[in-house]
Amino acid sequence: MFPGYIFLKTKENIDNVTLQLLKDTKNVVKILNSYKDPIPLCCNQLDLIKPLLNPNFKAELSNVNFNKDDKIVVINGPLKELEGQIIKVDKRKQRVTVQIEMYNKVHKINFSYIDISK
């Protein structure tokens, strides 16, 4: 779900030496939303991604009947209670592609019908 991202848990702000080590790491292009300083996740953002970072986490299946442009709410899984708009429906596979705003960006995420509700 977060390919190419590195999440760091710290007890305080990252010092300049550590920040420079991160920037000098091969293939690190930029620090999230900034070219200078990391931006900490606020509490609700952290709570949202914690289950996804657990190596034992298993995503459950989703549920719903939908049409393009329907507004939905995720009812199962780690993104539970997030709202979005359907941009594509695959009735044969019973899956939808939904635009959801997270972390000030719009993400396109696929869900099974059983994981969403209108």
Side-chain angles (χ1 to χ4, degrees):
M1 180 137 206
F2 304 102
Y5 282 81
I6 298 171
F7 293 93
L8 298 175
K9 182 177 180 180
T10 64
K11 292 183 180 185
E12 52 190 55
N13 290 337
I14 295 175
D15 60 49
N16 289 334
V17 173
T18 304
L19 183 58
Q20 193 58 49
L21 283 171
L22 287 172
K23 290 178 181 179
D24 292 342
T25 301
K26 184 180 179 181
N27 297 324
V28 170
V29 176
K30 70 177 190 173
I31 306 298
L32 185 63
N33 289 336
S34 170
Y35 288 98
K36 295 180 181 178
D37 298 313
I39 298 172
L41 297 175
C42 68
C43 295
N44 61 343
Q45 292 172 333
L46 184 58
D47 291 342
L48 178 66
I49 66 168
K50 271 184 179 179
L52 302 171
L53 300 175
N54 181 341
N56 297 320
F57 173 77
K58 284 189 175 183
E60 298 174 8
L61 297 177
S62 332
N63 188 0
V64 184
N65 277 329
F66 304 99
N67 297 305
K68 185 178 176 191
D69 298 325
D70 283 349
K71 302 274 188 202
I72 61 92
V73 175
V74 181
I75 58 172
N76 292 318
L79 302 178
K80 186 175 181 177
E81 298 182 14
L82 287 182
E83 298 178 6
Q85 181 174 352
I86 295 175
I87 57 173
K88 182 179 174 185
V89 177
D90 185 334
K91 292 184 186 227
R92 186 179 64 79
K93 293 182 180 177
Q94 297 187 340
R95 297 194 67 81
V96 295
T97 302
V98 177
Q99 282 186 332
I100 292 180
E101 185 176 332
M102 291 188 304
Y103 315 119
N104 298 320
K105 291 185 181 181
V106 175
H107 298 273
K108 294 178 183 176
I109 303 172
N110 289 304
F111 292 99
S112 169
Y113 282 7
I114 62 171
D115 290 328
I116 59 174
S117 176
K118 290 184 186 181

